[in-house]
Amino acid sequence: MRIDAISIFPEFFSVLDLSLIGKARESGLIAFKAHNLRDWTNDVHKTVDDTPYGGGAGMVMMPEVWGKAIDSVAAGSKPVIIFTTPAGELFTQQIAQELSTKEHLVFACGRYEGIDQRVVEHFGKDFEVRELSIGDYVLNGGEVASVAMIEAIVRLLPGVVGNAESLEEESFSEGQLEYPSYTKPQSWRGLEVPETLLSGHHAEIAKWRNEQSRLRTQKNRPDLLK
Ligand code: 6GU
């Protein structure tokens, strides 16, 4: 899989050199490149934004520079273009799964009050485009959101996470949160590991974990139970 990110702060993406994702890059499973949007400006100040039509606070990223940047990064390819915005569709495990099957992803990281909407409209004519948000809060820009999405997507690629089971059993894969986990020692600061987990009865353990998943989902994410 090839992944490109376009941003005025490409340095944000250096965290992708670390850990699992870094290994996936080294082993050639993914090719990632962060691009500086300002490389496609023409003026000495490398301007990327201007005041909004219709008035209001903040600045809007200009279409011309984004058009050139995406033309250049998408040349000779048919990427899915992801526009990061708090006004986007909520990024979920299902979307991560869908995107993990694509050849090429381009993350267009908006800053300020967003990107001129005609950029989304224009590239939507020739490409699959998605406006995605990672949750109901506002970040200063889409870089951190893109890093989160890239990690969620790349770890689903065959060969990135060693243990296929650890992918399957995870929270969200079955619509419920994961059950609580315990390791040694059996007693810690007066707190004991739940009896059932020490029993060796696999059916009992599975039943207990299922019930814990349900209780935890009810408490932390009642919206998931519908
Ligand atoms: Cl994708 N961008 C920004 N700026 N804020 C966000 C977000 C994205 N997702 C949640 N908050």
Side-chain angles (χ1 to χ4, degrees):
M1 175 186 273
R2 175 182 166 198
I3 304 175
D4 292 279
I6 308 168
S7 159
I8 57 167
F9 294 119
E11 303 84 3
F12 262 99
F13 293 90
S14 59
V15 294
L16 293 177
D17 297 341
L18 303 169
S19 180
L20 225 63
I21 310 303
K23 286 199 195 95
R25 292 176 69 183
E26 280 166 30
S27 70
L29 268 167
I30 62 161
F32 174 81
K33 189 167 163 56
H35 306 264
N36 194 333
L37 179 68
R38 293 192 200 276
D39 291 349
W40 286 278
T41 57
N42 284 319
D43 64 312
V44 285
H45 298 111
K46 300 187 184 290
T47 311
V48 295
D49 61 339
D50 207 334
T51 55
Y53 276 115
M59 300 291 269
V60 178
M61 297 186 104
M62 298 148 85
E64 191 59 28
V65 61
W66 271 109
K68 286 181 191 157
I70 295 172
D71 282 348
S72 165
V73 169
S77 179
K78 266 279 173 177
V80 178
I81 305 172
I82 294 139
F83 292 91
T84 62
T85 165
E89 176 189 3
L90 184 67
F91 178 77
T92 59
Q93 190 66 25
Q94 194 197 308
I95 294 176
Q97 247 141 25
E98 279 171 41
L99 293 178
S100 73
T101 67
K102 309 289 182 177
E103 276 302 308
H104 185 191
L105 306 175
V106 174
F107 286 83
C109 301
R111 281 253 142 190
Y112 312 109
E113 307 306 308
I115 302 172
D116 187 304
Q117 194 62 31
R118 289 171 294 182
V119 178
V120 178
E121 195 180 325
H122 170 77
F123 287 103
K125 290 184 230 166
D126 289 325
F127 300 92
E128 180 182 345
V129 299
R130 303 192 74 149
E131 294 176 285
L132 296 177
S133 160
I134 60 164
D136 294 339
Y137 39 80
V138 177
L139 304 169
N140 282 334
E143 288 77 12
V144 168
S146 293
V147 168
M149 290 189 257
I150 290 166
E151 182 159 315
I153 293 162
V154 168
R155 65 191 292 287
L156 295 176
L157 298 177
V160 177
V161 173
N163 180 4
E165 247 178 49
S166 77
L167 279 179
E168 254 168 51
E169 271 194 22
E170 281 170 330
S171 296
F172 297 110
S173 289
E174 277 142 64
Q176 292 202 120
L177 301 182
E178 192 157 79
Y179 50 78
S181 301
Y182 301 85
T183 186
K184 288 162 275 298
Q186 199 177 312
S187 179
W188 178 74
R189 298 194 181 185
L191 299 171
E192 304 301 320
V193 171
E195 200 59 51
T196 312
L197 297 178
L198 310 172
S199 68
H201 289 107
H202 297 299
E204 285 297 305
I205 291 169
K207 199 175 121 202
W208 182 88
R209 284 178 167 167
N210 224 301
E211 176 65 0
Q212 292 299 313
S213 281
R214 197 186 59 77
L215 289 170
R216 197 182 225 183
T217 308
Q218 201 162 64
K219 176 170 175 281
N220 293 343
R221 293 293 306 279
D223 56 299
L224 292 178
L225 294 170
K226 284 169 209 114

